[in-house]
Amino acid sequence: MLSTLVARRFVTPLILAATLVAGACSDDPTEPDDEPEVQTLTLTVGSSTITIDKTTGAASGNLVVPAGTSTVAAQWKRADGSLETLITSAEFDLKITPATPANLTWTPNGAFAGTLVTTGLASNATTNASVALFHKEEQHEDFGPYNFTVRVQ
């Protein structure tokens, strides 16, 4: 009789707890997608390159562009300096937002490039813009926005 009482008081709650724990584990094979771990962005136009580090948010200098149309290339890097391979044009866009759209326009071409066009800016004139890595599906920035300066050659 004592063993039956012990079984009811102690073993039954243990079995119930084990069932709850096992039921809490998911059999769903769909894991959440990994998010990119971008530490720096490097923007290049011709021989002009700037780097923006997410720790400071500051650009390493001015992005120097020729008057008119320029192709911008981007490299998204991890903290160890390696390229972030989770960034693809299918899921992300390089997003540059000019502070003064009358002087600077941006047309993206995926996560790694696009076209900047300067209008009405004399040699050595500057204008500002912000840059971000835009996650298209989730509709948010995964890096930035960070400000930088564009200087016309």
Side-chain angles (χ1 to χ4, degrees):
M1 178 153 190
L2 183 59
S3 64
T4 305
L5 183 61
V6 169
R8 285 187 184 159
R9 283 198 160 165
F10 297 109
V11 176
T12 303
L14 288 175
I15 292 171
L16 180 60
T19 303
L20 290 174
V21 168
C25 294
S26 174
D27 291 334
D28 184 4
T30 306
E31 296 282 326
D33 290 338
D34 289 333
E35 286 289 320
E37 296 180 19
V38 177
Q39 180 65 38
T40 62
L41 160 66
T42 300
L43 294 176
T44 303
V45 173
S47 62
S48 177
T49 299
I50 63 168
T51 298
I52 299 172
D53 188 298
K54 80 173 188 178
T55 302
T56 64
S60 61
N62 294 337
L63 186 63
V64 180
V65 301
T69 303
S70 304
T71 300
V72 177
Q75 286 190 323
W76 306 99
K77 296 182 181 179
R78 301 171 69 101
D80 66 3
S82 65
L83 292 176
E84 176 50 89
T85 57
L86 295 177
I87 298 172
T88 65
S89 292
E91 292 188 42
F92 296 94
D93 273 333
L94 170 63
K95 183 177 175 182
I96 294 179
T97 306
T100 310
N103 292 336
L104 186 68
T105 59
W106 168 251
T107 305
N109 185 13
F112 305 102
T115 304
L116 278 176
V117 178
T118 60
T119 305
L121 293 173
S123 181
N124 288 321
T126 61
T127 188
N128 296 313
S130 65
V131 62
L133 175 64
F134 187 72
H135 198 162
K136 293 187 270 191
E137 181 178 311
E138 296 178 9
Q139 294 292 299
H140 70 112
E141 284 90 7
D142 277 0
F143 178 90
Y146 297 111
N147 296 323
F148 68 100
T149 300
V150 175
R151 184 174 60 83
V152 176
Q153 218 168 18

Tab-separated table of all heavy atoms in Angstrom, residues 22 27 86 97 105 120:
chain	number	residue	atom	x	y	z
A	22	ALA	N	9.065	16.751	-23.261
A	22	ALA	CA	9.191	16.139	-24.586
A	22	ALA	C	8.242	16.801	-25.572
A	22	ALA	O	8.579	16.994	-26.738
A	22	ALA	CB	8.917	14.643	-24.499
A	27	ASP	N	9.208	19.463	-33.672
A	27	ASP	CA	9.630	18.635	-34.789
A	27	ASP	C	9.640	19.441	-36.085
A	27	ASP	O	9.847	18.894	-37.151
A	27	ASP	CB	8.680	17.438	-34.954
A	27	ASP	CG	8.811	16.443	-33.813
A	27	ASP	OD1	9.891	16.396	-33.204
A	27	ASP	OD2	7.833	15.734	-33.541
A	86	LEU	N	26.046	35.510	-46.332
A	86	LEU	CA	24.583	35.421	-46.226
A	86	LEU	C	23.881	36.527	-47.010
A	86	LEU	O	22.671	36.474	-47.197
A	86	LEU	CB	24.148	35.476	-44.760
A	86	LEU	CG	24.590	34.297	-43.890
A	86	LEU	CD1	24.165	34.522	-42.446
A	86	LEU	CD2	24.023	32.986	-44.418
A	97	THR	N	20.562	56.696	-49.627
A	97	THR	CA	19.530	57.734	-49.624
A	97	THR	C	20.197	59.096	-49.616
A	97	THR	O	20.799	59.495	-48.609
A	97	THR	CB	18.621	57.595	-48.385
A	97	THR	OG1	18.101	56.252	-48.350
A	97	THR	CG2	17.490	58.598	-48.416
A	105	THR	N	21.427	61.324	-57.046
A	105	THR	CA	20.393	60.287	-57.155
A	105	THR	C	21.061	58.919	-57.102
A	105	THR	O	22.234	58.767	-57.438
A	105	THR	CB	19.577	60.409	-58.456
A	105	THR	OG1	20.460	60.311	-59.574
A	105	THR	CG2	18.792	61.700	-58.506
A	120	GLY	N	24.564	69.234	-60.932
A	120	GLY	CA	24.690	70.613	-60.466
A	120	GLY	C	25.716	70.833	-59.373
A	120	GLY	O	25.652	71.833	-58.668
